[in-house]
Structure formats: structure tokens, C-alpha cells
Amino acid sequence: MYQLTINNLSEQEFLSEYWQKKPLLIKQGFTDFEDPLDANELAGLAVEESIESRIVTNHDNQWNAHHGPFEDFELLSEQNSTLLVQAADHWHPDAAQLLEPFRFIPNWRIDDLMISFSTPGGGVGPHLDQYDVFIIQGEGKRHWRVGMPDSKLKQFAQNNSLLQVEQFPAVIDCILEPGDILYIPPGCPHEGYAVENALNYSVGFRAPNQQDLFSSFADHVIDTETGNARYQDQNLQLRESKGELTNTEANKIKQLLQSLLDDECLFKSWLGNTVSQPKHEMDLMPPEELYSQAQVELLIADPDTLFERLGGTRAIYQATDNSIIFSVNGQNYTLPLEDLTAVKCLTDQIQVTANELNSSKNSLLFIQTFTTLLNEGIWFC
Ligand code: SIN
Ligand code: CO
């Protein structure tokens, strides 16, 4: 287990003073840091078709990005190159442990763990990310510069593929050593170049924008065949201008849209569905023999059973007045309130004992739901 120390700040102090506000260098956030993998293992992941990977090189100021999967690593030269692997937490359980210390930030905001290996001089160049990120230094050293957001900074595509930003003044300029961490809020320009062969782990977050939200809400309305109420004007009065669409009419249209957002059941089911959607493939391994409901009841009754959650699983819940919407990887399950303790354990923890699950008397619906999740390989024991 990795134990995070944020300089001399409490987690709440970090949230109040730095989160989404300004970058922070966390010296020895992890003391005696041990890498969960080495460069060879990372390369092993980048060979896989289902894993998103890239090699970025910058020889003689010429930037190039190549997309995996890779059959060999000739591009990963001894200088000025970086191999990056996305969503490594979905594929490497030990690496996934690196997300755990950051779960003091709500789980639905956490996106994935990206791992990079850079040779001296290697990096992805100066750029901005739209999301918060913690960059953990593993093996080796890397020189980082981080600036404050500046809307005047011009972004441009290097070689048609790498989005970079022009040079910026740095508020943090440091050489990260193993166990050091950089927190970078959205929109802060940053660049990091390896001083010696270096492994870096980026804990990335998500924050949906209005376009994503509107488009996914519209999809949900269509999928669930809701939203069929139509504009009505039974009390129409004759008026002087026939060309005008009045403010009252515009407001009625707005209200028609608003009433869908105000439908708590529709809104929460869409929200659970959309924020629990994984962006990357999952390493699903369903059990060879499916569990029956009776077997799951026995497992939950046995105090020695330990259930583990598959890496990359997105599990959240929302409480309504009379039920819980439990959302797992884009699928919603509606459960009675009496299952709250069990659902809280499954969403708060990546490991849960049968004892913890059975601390309240579980409903039949819970047993059915958990049987489905075990049979899909999302939880296993
Ligand atoms: C990297 O590890 O090279 C990229 C991390 C980042 O800048 O977001
Ligand atoms: Co970045």
C-alpha cells in the first residue's frame, strides 16, 4: 500500500488551498517509493492491442508521435523518447494500487493511471491538460516546469498530432526524484524532460463539459424513450405580430426541456450511467463456471470470503428518497435503501470482506445484482 503525505498539509487543507487552484510540488509524497513495474513490463503492456499506447520522440527539435500497439521498441531510443501507456490500472493490479491514496477525491472524478517511461531528454513537450493530474516520479529523475493558466498562451499541433503550447513562465521548476509528486490543476502549462531514464505515473481526473453532458443526456432520453411531451398552446390569443415568438413562448420551450432535467429519476439514472462509463477497455475475466444466487448467498455468509474489484472499475451510488441507484461501468442497478451499507462498501473500497457486505441484511435484489457482477468478472473472490 502507498501512503501519501502532502507536505505538511491535511487532505482538506490541500483541497482548500490547491485543488483546482494552483500547482503544488509534493516532496517525498511517497517515502521509500517502490515502482509497481519496470520499463520492460510497461513495454509488455504496449504490445497489447487492447491497450492504448504511444511513443513520442523529439530528435533535433523534431517532434513525432507514434501510436501502439508496438511490435518492437526501436523508436524508444536511448535519448529523447517517451513511451506512454494509458489506463494501466485496468491491466496491472500492482500499478492500480497507486490510485488508492488519491481516493480522498471522489471516485467518480478519478479517470485513470497513465504510465510513461522516458529516456534522457524525453517528454511530450510543453502542453496543457484539461484535467487535474498528479504526476508521481518513480525510478529516475525528471526536470519539470509548471506555469499558471494564461488564456493568451497559444496552442499549436506539432507535426499534426501533438498539441503543444508556446513557452511559458514557470512557477514551479524542479527536478523530481523517486516518490516526489507534482499536482497540476487544469489549464496549467507544463513540460517535463527526463534527466536519466525515468518512470512517471499520472493519476488523471475527469470533469465533463457541457457539450459532453448535453449530448449524453440527449442520448439517454432517446434510449429510454422518454421526453415525449410536446409543446402545447391551448390558450392561444390572437395577437398583432404573427412573426414574433414571444418571451412567454420561449420560456415554455425552455420549461419543456427543464422538466426533463428536473425529473430526478431520469436525471440520476442518466448521471450514474454516464459518469460510471469506463473510457478504456476492461480486462474482464468472467468465472469459468457461473455463480448461482444460492452460491453467492453462501459466499456472503462465509466470514473468510474476500471480494476484490477489477482494476479500472467505475462504481458509484446515488441515494434517492426511496432507493439507491448503484452504477457500475455504465450499468445502473436500483436497490432498496436497506442495501446502502453494502453498496457503500462496494463503491468506497476495492476490497471488501463478506462480513462487511453482510453487516446489514441484504435484499434479494442485492444478491441478484452482486451475482450478476461476480459473473461478469467485475468483482471476484
Ligand atoms: C508524461 O508522463 O510524459 C506526461 C505527463 C503529463 O504531462 O501529463
Ligand atoms: Co500533461
Side-chain angles (χ1 to χ4, degrees):
M1 269 308 255
Y2 295 98
Q3 195 69 45
L4 174 67
T5 318
I6 311 175
N7 300 336
N8 50 2
L9 300 170
S10 68
E11 290 170 345
Q12 184 55 60
E13 283 167 341
F14 166 78
L15 293 177
S16 308
E17 288 171 42
Y18 293 94
W19 177 250
Q20 298 233 304
K21 297 170 198 77
K22 50 188 182 198
L24 176 67
L25 167 61
I26 307 171
K27 271 310 268 182
Q28 288 303 286
F30 295 125
T31 45
D32 305 319
F33 183 78
E34 277 181 39
D35 288 273
L37 47 57
D38 61 19
N40 283 327
E41 264 183 280
L42 188 68
L45 295 177
V47 167
E48 300 289 335
E49 192 131 351
S50 34
I51 305 184
E52 208 182 304
S53 59
R54 276 183 307 157
I55 290 178
V56 176
T57 58
N58 59 324
H59 298 293
D60 308 318
N61 270 335
Q62 178 71 41
W63 288 92
N64 272 303
H66 311 263
H67 290 269
F70 297 99
E71 283 177 8
D72 63 64
F73 291 88
E74 266 169 37
L75 289 165
L76 193 63
S77 46
E78 283 183 16
Q79 302 268 338
N80 300 66
S81 62
T82 301
L83 165 67
L84 305 107
V85 174
Q86 292 291 338
D89 55 310
H90 290 216
W91 306 97
H92 197 287
D94 289 342
Q97 288 294 324
L98 274 173
L99 294 180
E100 294 316 298
F102 300 94
R103 290 199 190 273
F104 68 94
I105 293 154
N107 281 349
W108 73 269
R109 292 280 274 113
I110 298 177
D111 192 9
D112 71 342
L113 180 77
M114 196 268 286
I115 308 182
S116 69
F117 170 73
S118 317
T119 60
V124 297
H127 67 281
L128 304 174
D129 294 314
Q130 301 302 318
Y131 311 103
D132 308 81
V133 64
F134 289 93
I135 301 178
I136 304 159
Q137 182 65 46
E139 168 196 313
K141 290 182 184 165
R142 207 157 164 196
H143 178 193
W144 285 94
R145 294 177 69 255
V146 187
M148 287 303 281
D150 176 355
S151 56
K152 287 199 243 24
L153 276 181
K154 284 195 191 66
Q155 290 199 83
F156 54 91
Q158 272 283 9
N159 219 343
N160 285 332
S161 59
L162 265 185
L163 195 59
Q164 295 192 341
V165 74
E166 63 185 335
Q167 265 311 312
F168 56 87
V171 289
I172 292 179
D173 188 328
C174 61
I175 291 181
L176 287 195
E177 297 180 344
D180 291 344
I181 304 171
L182 262 182
Y183 163 67
I184 307 177
C188 287
H190 55 282
E191 58 182 345
Y193 304 101
V195 176
E196 51 190 58
N197 283 353
L199 277 166
N200 283 88
Y201 306 88
S202 299
V203 177
F205 291 81
R206 330 177 146 178
N209 69 12
Q210 289 167 312
Q211 279 184 8
D212 300 336
L213 293 173
F214 266 114
S215 120
S216 112
F217 188 66
D219 287 344
H220 188 75
V221 169
I222 294 164
D223 292 347
T224 51
E225 295 183 22
T226 38
N228 295 310
R230 198 174 288 277
Y231 180 80
Q232 291 180 335
D233 48 6
Q234 282 153 342
N235 300 323
L236 195 58
Q237 300 292 310
L238 204 57
R239 63 186 184 228
E240 188 252 322
S241 170
K242 315 291 185 289
E244 187 186 11
L245 191 156
T246 64
N247 286 342
T248 313
E249 287 166 334
N251 283 334
K252 274 176 69 174
I253 299 268
K254 199 190 271 178
Q255 190 45 47
L256 206 53
L257 290 171
Q258 185 65 48
S259 65
L260 282 178
L261 291 171
D262 289 343
D263 177 335
E264 173 165 285
C265 180
L266 179 71
F267 182 83
K268 285 193 165 165
S269 76
W270 158 72
L271 191 58
N273 187 292
T274 189
V275 302
S276 70
Q277 205 77 247
K279 270 198 277 183
H280 299 269
E281 237 178 88
M282 307 283 303
D283 190 13
L284 282 171
M285 270 184 293
E288 275 171 24
E289 270 195 45
L290 296 187
Y291 291 101
S292 68
Q293 219 170 284
Q295 281 171 316
V296 172
E297 267 171 302
L298 284 177
L299 278 175
I300 292 184
D302 177 354
D304 288 336
T305 320
L306 179 71
F307 298 101
E308 275 195 57
R309 194 165 83 191
L310 180 70
T313 297
R314 303 187 62 80
I316 57 154
Y317 72 89
Q318 299 167 84
T320 68
D321 287 345
N322 47 17
S323 64
I324 306 162
I325 303 172
F326 176 38
S327 308
V328 183
N329 297 345
Q331 194 70 43
N332 287 339
Y333 304 90
T334 305
L335 298 173
L337 285 174
E338 70 201 69
D339 292 319
L340 186 60
T341 313
V343 168
K344 205 165 170 304
C345 287
L346 290 177
T347 55
D348 283 357
Q349 302 162 207
I350 53 166
Q351 286 189 336
V352 57
T353 63
N355 256 349
E356 289 173 298
L357 276 191
N358 207 17
S359 60
S360 64
K361 210 175 140 343
N362 306 118
S363 71
L364 183 62
L365 218 51
F366 177 83
I367 302 291
Q368 283 169 348
T369 301
F370 197 50
T371 306
T372 305
L373 293 167
L374 284 168
N375 286 336
E376 285 177 357
I378 300 178
W379 268 269
F380 51 92
C381 57

